[in-house]
Amino acid sequence: SLLRRIINNENLVIENIAVGKITQTRCGVCYMQNIANGDLVSEVKYRLGNLDIDSLLEEFDLLDASDSKYNYLSNGEKKRFLFILTLIKDPYLIIMDEPYADLDDENKEVITKYLNSFRGNHIVIITSHIDIPDLIIDKEFTFNDLNWTDDEKEEEVNARGASYCLV
């Protein structure tokens, strides 16, 4: 393989792992035997092998598009796909710009469910020009004419401009 030609080392190990029971997405795990931390390699392979990507693809209505190239997905499909990647990576800080744009009501509800589940364990910053139904917000800020205000009434926030939410 190309990787073996570039890294000409007998300790190079390349393993393929199938991710997902339905999609069987092939993932390559590369490491240097006798150099990489064996426990870490085992943990990575375990997590990949147990990643439930199929249920996420199904929940976000992307199972049929799982074989499509990213460039051929619609804007809404791309947004949902990127959100799934965020869920898999489980970062502490999540910044989302207009997360509900290009989504139908059903997918807005799914994203709201996950955003609400992040409360207490993550910092989520959302920019939005629309009211986000059922989203539990800890702090809301409004940016208008280079002045920040907080704790405004909902009507004032929607009438003035972009809203920035901390979930």
Side-chain angles (χ1 to χ4, degrees):
S1 77
L2 177 61
L3 190 56
R4 287 203 181 276
R5 281 186 257 147
I6 293 171
I7 303 174
N8 188 11
N9 189 312
E10 62 188 34
N11 292 322
L12 177 64
V13 177
I14 302 172
E15 296 182 39
N16 285 309
I17 297 175
V19 177
K21 291 179 176 62
I22 299 170
T23 55
Q24 291 287 300
T25 303
R26 305 303 293 172
C27 272
V29 177
C30 304
Y31 59 94
M32 300 297 279
Q33 193 170 19
N34 302 324
I35 297 173
N37 180 319
D39 292 337
L40 180 61
V41 171
S42 295
E43 179 69 17
V44 167
K45 292 191 302 187
Y46 173 79
R47 286 186 184 198
L48 282 173
N50 290 300
L51 187 62
D52 192 9
I53 189 70
D54 296 337
S55 66
L56 287 172
L57 289 170
E58 188 172 4
E59 187 166 15
F60 284 93
D61 196 25
L62 287 172
L63 199 52
D64 292 337
S66 63
D67 290 333
S68 300
K69 294 191 184 292
Y70 182 79
N71 289 342
Y72 295 113
L73 299 175
S74 70
N75 288 338
E77 288 171 330
K78 287 177 182 177
K79 189 163 288 210
R80 296 188 323 259
F81 176 76
L82 292 174
F83 193 74
I84 288 173
L85 290 180
T86 301
L87 293 174
I88 291 170
K89 292 182 179 192
D90 193 30
Y92 179 69
L93 173 65
I94 302 167
I95 301 173
M96 302 178 76
D97 182 30
E98 300 290 350
Y100 293 91
D102 301 316
L103 297 180
D104 59 22
D105 289 340
E106 184 178 326
N107 282 299
K108 288 177 184 177
E109 289 176 16
V110 173
I111 286 187
T112 299
K113 177 184 87 169
Y114 279 100
L115 289 175
N116 286 338
S117 75
F118 291 152
R119 294 188 76 235
N121 299 321
H122 301 77
I123 295 173
V124 180
I125 300 173
I126 298 171
T127 64
S128 181
H129 289 88
I130 63 168
D131 182 35
I132 303 171
D134 302 322
L135 182 65
I136 301 170
I137 299 171
D138 291 329
K139 191 74 170 170
E140 185 168 347
F141 300 93
T142 301
F143 184 69
N144 186 37
D145 298 329
L146 302 178
N147 295 315
W148 282 94
T149 60
D150 61 0
D151 297 328
E152 295 185 73
K153 294 180 183 173
E154 183 177 344
E155 308 85 55
E156 294 173 8
V157 170
N158 290 333
R160 290 178 40 169
S163 175
Y164 298 79
C165 310
L166 292 178
V167 177

